[in-house]
Amino acid sequence: GMKEGKTDTVPFGFFSKKAIQINGFFDEELVRAQDYEYNKRIIKNGGKVWINPEITAKYFNQRFFFKFLAKLLLKDGPYNSYMWFKYPYTLSFRHLIPSIFFLGNIFGLILSSYNVFFLYIYIFVMSLYILLSILASIQIYKNTNHLTSSLLMPASFFLMHISYGAGEVYGALKILLKKAPISIQD
């Protein structure tokens, strides 16, 4: 369903020699997220990132869902935080949503036990999240006709968002404690 055109990032990008001469190479300290940072650097330097749906790549997903969640929590999430810290131009609100969701759940549960007002807010927000997850699952079913996967999507969305958000918060804490595996300037 993608259309060819300008975009903010592409997976598995191909870069011209000229683009590499202008923008340099990937930052090897960013074991994860280096492709996203590179795409943002190209745009920051006046270039364009172009998506073409006719170009295909074979991608092999994690075989086991809980290994995938562990990867989000322990690798992908923290490296987003490292990338944002090192290259603030890569930060966008949509990438903060999992962190906000994770922290919102933690504080929502804690505050709900102290005040009914917070309980109602928490229930409203979680109900809205569940509704949106169900609507997204219905859309996925319409596109794939795969009932079992579609029924598992709301729980999968929740686990994925919590894991990714927890990883981002974990990465931010490592930065604050100066234990992140990236060069941090004082």
Side-chain angles (χ1 to χ4, degrees):
M2 289 182 278
K3 293 186 173 130
E4 183 173 351
K6 216 164 112 175
T7 188
D8 65 339
T9 189
V10 292
F12 323 114
F14 293 91
F15 306 101
S16 68
K17 184 177 179 179
K18 182 179 178 187
I20 293 168
Q21 289 170 335
I22 292 169
N23 301 292
F25 297 106
F26 279 15
D27 180 342
E28 292 183 20
E29 272 194 326
L30 295 177
V31 177
R32 299 275 197 245
Q34 70 277 74
D35 56 339
Y36 182 79
E37 184 278 323
Y38 196 73
N39 288 305
K40 291 303 236 181
R41 189 177 344 147
I42 289 170
I43 293 167
K44 181 175 104 35
N45 291 334
K48 291 180 194 165
V49 176
W50 196 263
I51 192 161
N52 181 341
E54 291 185 27
I55 298 172
T56 60
K58 190 164 187 145
Y59 182 78
F60 297 93
N61 289 327
Q62 281 285 347
R63 291 182 64 189
F64 302 102
F65 183 67
F66 290 106
K67 278 189 175 183
F68 169 71
L69 292 177
K71 181 176 91 83
L72 291 177
L73 174 64
L74 300 172
K75 295 179 182 175
D76 292 354
Y79 271 92
N80 273 350
S81 294
Y82 306 153
M83 175 185 64
W84 299 330
F85 183 78
K86 194 168 181 180
Y87 302 105
Y89 60 84
T90 62
L91 182 62
S92 67
F93 179 72
R94 76 173 189 229
H95 293 114
L96 286 176
I97 292 172
S99 297
I100 294 167
F101 183 70
F102 172 74
L103 292 171
N105 270 283
I106 299 293
F107 288 110
L109 288 170
I110 292 169
L111 293 174
S112 292
S113 65
Y114 290 106
N115 188 310
V116 72
F117 174 74
F118 292 113
L119 175 64
Y120 290 139
I121 290 173
Y122 182 70
I123 289 171
F124 173 76
V125 170
M126 290 309 296
S127 298
L128 182 61
Y129 179 85
I130 292 167
L131 175 66
L132 292 172
S133 294
I134 290 169
L135 291 173
S137 300
I138 291 168
Q139 186 65 41
I140 290 168
Y141 176 72
K142 285 180 180 179
N143 291 336
T144 65
N145 287 329
H146 199 276
L147 183 61
T148 306
S149 294
S150 299
L151 291 174
L152 294 172
M153 282 294 136
S156 297
F157 291 148
F158 180 80
L159 290 171
M160 187 182 88
H161 289 132
I162 286 290
S163 297
Y164 209 75
E168 290 173 349
V169 170
Y170 175 68
L173 289 173
K174 286 187 81 168
I175 290 167
L176 289 172
L177 297 172
K178 298 192 186 263
K179 296 193 183 261
I182 60 168
S183 302
I184 299 175
Q185 308 296 328
D186 286 324

